[in-house]
Amino acid sequence: MKALVYHGPGQKSLDEHADPTILEPGDAIVRVTHTTICGTDLHILKGDVPTCVPGRILGHEGVGIVEHVGAAVTSFKPGDHVLISCITACGRCDYCRRGMYSHCATGGWILGNAIDGTQAERVRIPHADTSLYHVPAGASEEALVMLSDILRAHPLAFLRQDLTRRGIVRCADLAHIKDGRHVEVAGIILVRQKPGSAKGVLFITIEDETGIANGILWPDRFEAQRRTVMSAAMIGMKGRVQREGLVIHVICDWIIDHGPLLAQVGQMDFPHATGRGDGARHAGSPDRGDAGWRPGPRDSYWPPHANGQDPEQVVRIKSRDFH
């Protein structure tokens, strides 16, 4: 079969490649009828994604027709037209049961990354029962391929427009930011660790839709923000980029709790562009930041972080001990 193969940074080619085969009982082989590219593929081609090794078939979006299924697949059969999810999910691990499909213990974003992807004539889909969707009769498969990257996408993918407006960079962008520059990068906390040999230094790993970022929090900074660090599910690490060879850290000055933002994802109706709260009277009015927007009467509160300020630095309330 023909496949688009990654050969290292800046190198790709359309090659002859062996057809995929069933490796696990839950696998399906899908003949790809429509696929497309994603910004993530461009990051791979630039060499920003070390988990994608040379020789990998790219792509994680597609629509196709099931050709073969493993013995454990019950929801699909050969001949079914299917939409492929960009995120592979087993549906059984602890992460999947909590709805965190991108963290699936045996899946996540693996297509076109850890395993061969969809930019080929055929692709193997692990966990087919929970990673494929039936295409409704009469639906435009060319249009449906655009849904592949939405199904079970990383939560921060839905927040990216808002995060960009706040000046928050993506984890993958750190690879191109100069040493010493001050940034804020946000993500879901994966790891908090304080090794005994680190003299109180806390190491944090966060993840967004583009990858992971590592932060360092000195002991005094940790003690000042302990509650946020230990309780928040999603944080912003605001500080200075430190580069040592291929190792990149953010030396954190402030940790921002973005948990309320994360909570919004489950309440979104898609498409999820928002407008003014008085849209019934002012339909179509531009939002702040849109072309044509002008400041109106100061009859509403505009949060400090929308202007790039840290709310903790804008409002300081002295704590009181009632015990």
Side-chain angles (χ1 to χ4, degrees):
M1 69 174 184
K2 292 287 188 181
L4 184 67
V5 181
Y6 170 68
H7 294 291
Q11 302 177 59
K12 65 183 184 303
S13 61
L14 189 64
D15 298 346
E16 285 290 341
H17 197 283
D19 284 359
T21 59
I22 298 291
L23 300 181
E24 300 289 342
D27 292 350
I29 304 300
V30 176
R31 176 168 61 85
V32 179
T33 57
H34 296 86
T35 187
T36 186
I37 64 171
C38 175
T40 306
D41 298 323
L42 302 181
H43 278 287
I44 291 173
L45 289 169
K46 289 168 62 179
D48 295 342
V49 185
T51 52
C52 186
V53 298
R56 179 70 66 228
I57 297 174
L58 296 178
H60 52 269
E61 302 163 320
V63 172
I65 302 171
V66 176
E67 289 194 338
H68 307 285
V69 296
V73 177
T74 60
S75 299
F76 300 92
K77 64 183 186 302
D80 286 346
H81 287 242
V82 293
L83 175 62
I84 301 167
S85 172
C86 66
I87 297 297
T88 303
C90 72
R92 297 183 297 273
C93 71
D94 182 58
Y95 287 115
C96 285
R97 289 196 299 268
R98 288 188 281 161
M100 301 172 67
Y101 304 110
S102 63
H103 294 277
C104 175
T106 54
W109 172 43
I110 56 175
L111 288 174
N113 179 14
I115 67 173
D116 287 335
T118 59
Q119 292 173 17
E121 293 183 78
R122 291 173 179 81
V123 61
R124 178 179 72 92
I125 304 297
H127 306 306
D129 277 342
T130 46
S131 301
L132 295 175
Y133 294 84
H134 287 281
V135 172
S140 168
E141 296 187 3
E142 186 173 353
L144 283 176
V145 73
M146 300 303 177
L147 292 178
S148 280
D149 211 23
I150 296 175
L151 298 172
R152 296 201 183 107
H154 194 285
L156 266 73
F158 302 113
L159 299 172
R160 181 51 55 192
Q161 184 177 1
D162 194 7
L163 294 173
T164 300
R165 186 184 67 176
R166 298 172 186 226
I168 298 173
V169 303
R170 304 175 306 169
C171 291
D173 294 336
L174 295 178
H176 309 289
I177 293 176
K178 292 182 179 180
D179 183 55
R181 178 180 163 187
H182 283 77
V183 299
E184 181 181 351
V185 59
I188 294 171
I189 293 184
L190 298 182
V191 178
R192 305 176 186 88
Q193 57 180 339
K194 189 190 288 186
S197 59
K199 298 182 179 179
V201 176
L202 183 76
F203 296 90
I204 306 174
T205 300
I206 63 172
E207 180 194 65
D208 68 7
E209 76 276 23
T210 68
I212 65 171
N214 296 304
I216 295 176
L217 198 61
W218 299 118
D220 60 329
R221 296 281 82 199
F222 171 58
E223 292 301 330
Q225 304 168 91
R226 175 186 289 269
R227 177 175 296 181
T228 298
V229 173
M230 300 308 295
S231 64
M234 173 182 166
I235 63 169
M237 301 191 303
K238 182 177 287 189
R240 174 175 52 85
V241 174
Q242 182 185 72
R243 308 175 67 95
E244 295 182 6
L246 297 177
V247 179
I248 303 173
H249 290 92
V250 176
I251 308 300
C252 303
D253 295 319
W254 291 101
I255 299 296
I256 313 300
D257 184 357
H258 287 309
L261 266 181
L262 183 62
Q264 292 177 15
V265 175
Q267 303 166 3
M268 289 178 174
D269 294 321
F270 298 96
H272 59 270
T274 57
R276 292 170 50 135
D278 59 350
R281 290 186 299 163
H282 300 281
S285 298
D287 292 329
R288 187 183 184 100
D290 291 346
W293 177 86
R294 294 189 186 88
R298 298 191 62 85
D299 57 358
S300 61
Y301 172 67
W302 185 253
H305 53 64
N307 294 323
Q309 302 178 64
D310 183 349
E312 293 190 34
Q313 294 177 325
V314 175
V315 180
R316 286 289 185 189
I317 302 175
K318 184 176 178 60
S319 63
R320 298 173 63 186
D321 186 357
F322 293 95
H323 297 287

